[in-house]
Amino acid sequence: MNVHDTICFIFLGFISNPGESQEAATEVKSSNGLCFIPAFTGLQSGINDNTACCCLINITPTIKREHIVRAALESLAFRVVQIFNTLESKTKIKINDTIKFDGGVSNSDFVLQLVSSLVNKKVDRPHNLDMSCLGAAFLAGLKAGVWKSKEELKEVRKTKNMFKPKAEVQADYKPIFKQWGKAVKRSMNWNESV
């Protein structure tokens, strides 16, 4: 999903550390029509276009640093929503009422609240954000007999915050997400040499 590349992009003079992205994004009420497409190496799951290009669409004279940061964070949430929708439609498996997040982007209340509202599910942020490494350790521990079942592991993962869908966020973002989808289409089939 290019989370790392997107965060690196917004470091290019827009913010000096990831913690500033939340503050910058919420200093403005919207991205002012700006769409960021995080296709640094194409767009994968849900779209599968290796030739898609990374782009900012709808740059106007009124665009400020905060709009760019907000558009970049929105793009992370929008890609999660695309992948979520693809997962549900392709597998025919409906996700229960909670999505569990981890990793660095989980520090962003803005991103997690937006995802929660757009997929209409609760989003669970754990105390320990580095769950990928912990997941590998859990599997090894299960195999070695440290834990007898997956049920025991559920006690180890603790929720720090729970984000609940907000109808007003969903309503506000429905046209923005649709416009972003149009921008994604413009980014596709760009790099013919790939």
Side-chain angles (χ1 to χ4, degrees):
M1 195 172 70
N2 298 316
V3 172
H4 177 264
D5 292 336
T6 301
I7 299 302
C8 288
F9 165 77
I10 59 177
F11 276 153
L12 296 174
F14 301 114
I15 60 170
S16 58
N17 69 65
E20 291 178 20
S21 64
Q22 172 90 15
E23 183 181 331
T26 56
E27 283 181 19
V28 290
K29 292 184 181 192
S30 74
S31 55
N32 201 19
L34 185 67
C35 294
F36 178 71
I37 311 305
F40 294 96
T41 56
L43 291 167
Q44 304 318 312
S45 184
I47 295 172
N48 299 318
D49 181 359
N50 290 333
T51 67
C53 67
C54 179
C55 57
L56 276 168
I57 294 180
N58 201 24
I59 299 172
T60 65
T62 59
I63 295 295
K64 302 187 305 188
R65 167 186 86 94
E66 293 82 6
H67 295 120
I68 295 169
V69 173
R70 187 178 181 108
L73 292 181
E74 287 172 346
S75 77
L76 296 176
F78 293 163
R79 284 294 290 140
V80 169
V81 171
Q82 280 184 326
I83 292 166
F84 177 86
N85 291 340
T86 299
L87 176 72
E88 282 201 331
S89 71
K90 298 285 184 193
T91 65
K92 307 295 186 227
I93 297 170
K94 294 296 177 198
I95 305 301
N96 62 16
D97 68 337
T98 305
I99 300 172
K100 295 181 179 181
F101 255 76
D102 62 62
V105 77
S106 299
N107 284 307
S108 175
D109 291 356
F110 177 82
V111 171
L112 298 187
Q113 183 59 64
L114 186 51
V115 168
S116 174
S117 297
L118 291 176
V119 299
N120 202 31
K121 307 280 182 200
K122 291 184 273 185
V123 169
D124 178 335
R125 173 172 47 206
H127 278 282
N128 181 352
L129 296 181
D130 197 4
M131 295 302 290
S132 297
C133 293
L134 197 54
F138 285 168
L139 288 174
L142 280 170
K143 181 71 175 165
V146 174
W147 295 284
K148 294 183 182 10
S149 72
K150 291 183 207 173
E151 294 304 313
E152 286 183 64
L153 296 176
K154 288 181 182 178
E155 299 300 315
V156 177
R157 186 192 185 280
K158 301 289 184 202
T159 297
K160 182 176 181 182
N161 303 96
M162 187 70 74
F163 296 84
K164 295 179 180 170
K166 293 183 177 179
E168 66 276 10
V169 173
Q170 193 175 53
D172 289 347
Y173 269 93
K174 187 174 182 179
I176 296 168
F177 185 62
K178 183 177 180 181
Q179 183 74 7
W180 184 82
K182 286 172 58 178
V184 167
K185 288 181 179 155
R186 296 244 173 131
S187 78
M188 294 172 67
N189 303 308
W190 189 266
N191 295 308
E192 295 175 11
S193 63
V194 176

